[in-house]
Structure formats: C-alpha cells, structure tokens
Amino acid sequence: MKALLLAGGLGTRLRPLTENLPKPMARVGNRPWLEHLILHYKAQGVSDFVLAVKYYRELIESCFGDGSRLGVRIEYSVEKELLGTAGAVKNAEPFLDGRFIVVNADIIHQVDLASALAFHERRGADVTICLTEVDDPSPYGVVEQNEDGRILRFVEKPKKEEAPSNRINAGIYIMERSVLERIPAGVAVSIEKETFPQWIASGAGVYGHPIGGYWMDMGTKARYRQLHWDLLDGRFPLPTDGEDAGEGIWLGENVRTGQGVLFVPPVMIGDDVTIGDRAVIGPYAVIGSGSRIGSQVRLSRSILWDRCKVHGGAQVNECILGSGMRVGPHILHEAVCNRIREVQRP
Ligand code: GDD
Ligand code: MG
C-alpha cells in the first residue's frame, strides 16, 4: 500500500521560515520533518511513497531522491499549478492503486496504522478520515459523526461557536482508488471545502477514526515552537540522533564546549556544534548541526536550525532562526528569521 504525502503548499503562516523552503522540510529535532514522517510510516510497514510537490520541490527531490537513502521507494507527483488538497490527490492518481493513505505532510503525529486500516476494513469505508480532539477546533476541519463512526458533516475551519464537535480532521486518510473518479482532473479542488462535503452529501462511505497519541499541525509559528517544547519535555517520543546525556540534555556527535558552559535543561544540540566559554544554553534550546555559539551567549526558548552563528555576548530568547543565520552581539527577542544573513537589533 502506498502513502501519498501532500507537501506542495506554500506554508504562508510559517513565513519567513518557509520563504525558501517547503513547510514539511522545516526542521524538527534537527532533521527535516518529512524525513521523520517517511521513517515513521516505514516503521508501520509502508515502503512506497508518492510525494505531491510543487513549491520548492527541487529541495525535496534533492534531499530524498528515489528514497534509497531511507530504504523506501519514492515517486514524485508534480503539480504545474497548485491544485489544492483534492486536486493534488487526483493529480497523483496514475501513481496509486487499490487502497492508499494520504497524509498532510505538516502534521506531527504518530499513528497506529494497522488499527486505522482495520477500522476502515470493518466499516467497508470508501474513505476513513483519522480524527483527533482539540480544545479549539476552529482552525481545522471539524466533523459530526453517528455512533457507528460515519461522518454526517464535515466543516472546514468553522467559527468556534459553530463547530459541531471538538473532533477534527487529523490530516490522515485511508482511501479507495475508486473514489478518485469523483474528483475533477486538472482544476484546483479543496478536499476539505469541496470533496468531503460532496461525498458525504452523496452518501459515500466516509468514516472517522479517532487516533490517540501526540498530534500537532506545525503550520503556525506558535505551534511550531510548541511542538519543540513538547519534544524536549518528552511529550512526543521522536527518535533523535543525539546521545541522551541525561536529565533532558541531548548532545549530537562532536559537540565542543568551552569552559564554564552551562546547559539548563531541556536542551537538544546537533552534531559538530561549538559553544564558547561561559555560554548559558537553555532552558528550551535546540541548536542545529554545524552551529557556532560564541562565548557568554545566553540562549533560551529558541530553535536554531543548522549552521547558525551567534556572536559572543548575544542574548537570544524566544527566537526561531533558519539555516545559516548570523546573529551579531545583540539582544534578540521573539525574532523569527530566515534567509537574511545578519540579524540586526529588532
Ligand atoms: N501538493 C499540494 N498541492 N499540497 C498541498 C496543496 C496543494 O495545492 N495545498 C496544501 N497542500 C499540503 C500542504 O503542504 C500541507 O502539508 C497539507 O497539504 C495541508 O495544508 P495546510 O495548508 O497545512 O492546511 P491546514 O493546516 O490549514 O488544514 C488542513 O490540515 C488540518 C490538520 O492539520 C485541513 O486538512 C484541515 O481539515 C485539517 O484539520
Ligand atoms: Mg497544516
């Protein structure tokens, strides 16, 4: 069975981090999220992937190629123009057969695929939408179900007071290829705003299956930050490369620290990182591989991607810095930066 990963969107709400990067390539635990995602589905027995790509697709293709580095097979379904979430699935039709899985590639989750498939099978569903529960369903697709799990209503991003429940579309679907006949080809179609409501109205077997475990859509800066704090707090058990030095400190290979460096957990440091004398790192700090942190830097509640350079004496708090960012000897608070080389005082 193949998994189709939707990875073509613009990632607008995560800008500037996604100004030159597809959102699912944003780093989580020092690796592109898409890599974690593929490995998670591989661990569940999926070995064939189709990536539906468009925006900065060359970055995805050059990172994953044919998938052999990760021990899977990857094909690419490329949109000439963005076709929306259903249009992207329709566009991938030639790559799909029988039953397949669709996943929004920007959701941080772990799913028990076997139990979702068993549910799909038991119900004889055309489509099973995996569901999760949240306090505020308004930024998501919200469902109303009957006792059997059949979805009676699907409303995308309703007003909070109009949401039919707290059960939302987790962005993971199991589908039968036959349903693709009902999606028009070559035009932009939203699976959430058009396709699901149409299928439900026409009596297709659309069911909802609640999944447990951690779930987070990384699509806003607040949620992207939160998922890292959750990762560091152990609420999301992501396999990481770094060695667990104990008590909430993860160190990659070849981390060189000067004299009197203080780690205040939780802290996650990638490979080949240098940290200067008397720097104070943490709490809640992620430092990407190849980064250089100067002496007496204070870095807390911040996420740095790979190859960042922070000048001695700088104070960095509540920041997210993209790959290769440089920070001068400044106080930087609540900045989200990418691309530009030198961050000035805000
Ligand atoms: N190939 C392709 N083409 N991919 C797309 C397109 C497109 O035109 N549009 C969006 N995507 C991809 C995005 O890259 C992302 O990985 C995924 O589809 C979902 O798009 P988002 O833009 O992140 O949607 P959302 O977060 O507002 O809402 C969706 O996800 C929620 C769960 O996280 C909806 O599916 C909601 O119903 C759902 O609750
Ligand atoms: Mg999203």
Side-chain angles (χ1 to χ4, degrees):
M1 193 176 52
K2 288 189 180 179
L4 169 64
L5 309 184
L6 301 184
L10 301 175
T12 323
R13 291 163 293 174
L14 214 50
R15 283 185 184 163
L17 291 170
T18 45
E19 230 149 51
N20 49 6
L21 192 80
K23 179 168 48 170
M25 293 297 280
R27 292 186 164 251
V28 173
N30 281 326
R31 281 204 216 181
W33 168 248
L34 198 48
E35 186 163 323
H36 291 294
L37 185 65
I38 292 169
L39 291 174
H40 174 60
Y41 278 86
K42 179 187 174 193
Q44 307 262 328
V46 178
S47 51
D48 288 85
F49 292 82
V50 181
L51 304 192
V53 291
K54 159 79 175 112
Y55 180 69
Y56 281 104
R57 69 181 176 93
E58 62 285 359
L59 292 182
I60 295 181
E61 294 186 21
S62 67
C63 182
F64 298 109
D66 64 3
S68 46
R69 179 173 66 84
L70 300 180
V72 297
R73 279 181 295 275
I74 298 180
E75 297 168 290
Y76 297 89
S77 169
V78 181
E79 285 146 67
K80 289 202 189 79
E81 303 299 331
L82 274 180
L83 289 174
T85 39
V89 178
K90 180 70 179 176
N91 192 54
E93 195 171 12
F95 298 96
L96 302 168
D97 36 46
R99 183 171 296 164
F100 59 94
I101 312 159
V102 180
V103 184
N104 288 348
D106 67 332
I107 48 163
I108 312 302
H109 69 286
Q110 287 177 335
V111 64
D112 177 353
L113 196 54
S115 93
L117 285 166
F119 171 92
H120 182 83
E121 196 114 306
R122 271 200 310 276
R123 296 294 188 280
D126 293 313
V127 181
T128 294
I129 302 177
C130 292
L131 306 174
T132 189
E133 282 193 13
V134 291
D135 291 336
D136 176 10
S138 60
Y140 305 105
V142 190
V143 303
E144 182 184 334
Q145 291 174 281
N146 70 9
E147 298 93 60
D148 200 30
R150 194 169 187 132
I151 295 182
L152 308 174
R153 204 147 67 94
F154 185 104
V155 199
E156 181 67 9
K157 301 189 175 67
K159 289 195 186 122
K160 196 171 177 184
E161 58 280 11
E162 287 168 15
S165 74
N166 277 11
R167 282 200 167 175
I168 61 149
N169 169 18
I172 305 153
Y173 320 126
I174 300 167
M175 284 191 181
E176 301 297 319
R177 191 175 186 274
S178 53
V179 294
L180 299 186
E181 283 167 19
R182 307 181 189 195
I183 303 175
V187 288
V189 186
S190 159
I191 207 162
E192 301 87 354
K193 292 185 188 142
E194 301 168 74
T195 312
F196 287 154
Q198 281 163 14
W199 287 352
I200 291 162
S202 71
V206 182
Y207 286 82
H209 172 67
I211 54 167
Y214 186 85
W215 184 93
M216 177 78 82
D217 177 314
M218 67 146 95
T220 67
K221 291 182 241 334
R223 296 200 296 245
Y224 181 74
R225 220 180 252 123
Q226 186 59 45
L227 86 88
H228 281 82
W229 307 161
D230 291 343
L231 176 64
L232 290 175
D233 282 335
R235 281 197 281 271
F236 177 53
L238 189 71
T240 46
D241 295 336
E243 185 193 333
D244 186 352
E247 299 185 349
I249 299 174
W250 289 268
L251 296 179
E253 282 175 18
N254 193 26
V255 174
R256 280 161 295 171
T257 50
Q259 292 191 341
V261 169
L262 182 62
F263 289 127
V264 186
V267 166
M268 183 180 284
I269 317 280
D271 298 337
D272 304 310
V273 172
T274 306
I275 302 175
D277 296 346
R278 294 182 303 285
V280 181
I281 308 296
Y284 296 98
V286 177
I287 302 179
S289 297
S291 293
R292 303 270 175 276
I293 310 297
S295 58
Q296 298 187 54
V297 164
R298 291 177 154 262
L299 193 150
S300 60
R301 298 190 65 83
S302 293
I303 302 149
L304 276 52
W305 291 4
D306 55 321
R307 295 174 288 107
C308 287
K309 225 172 176 180
V310 182
H311 197 285
Q315 295 187 25
V316 179
N317 179 247
E318 299 280 354
C319 292
I320 311 175
L321 306 182
S323 299
M325 292 296 309
R326 283 154 191 258
V327 179
H330 312 307
I331 296 175
L332 201 63
H333 181 65
E334 287 187 351
V336 180
C337 317
N338 196 12
R339 213 181 207 173
I340 40 172
R341 304 301 302 171
E342 173 105 15
V343 180
Q344 300 300 334
R345 242 180 272 264

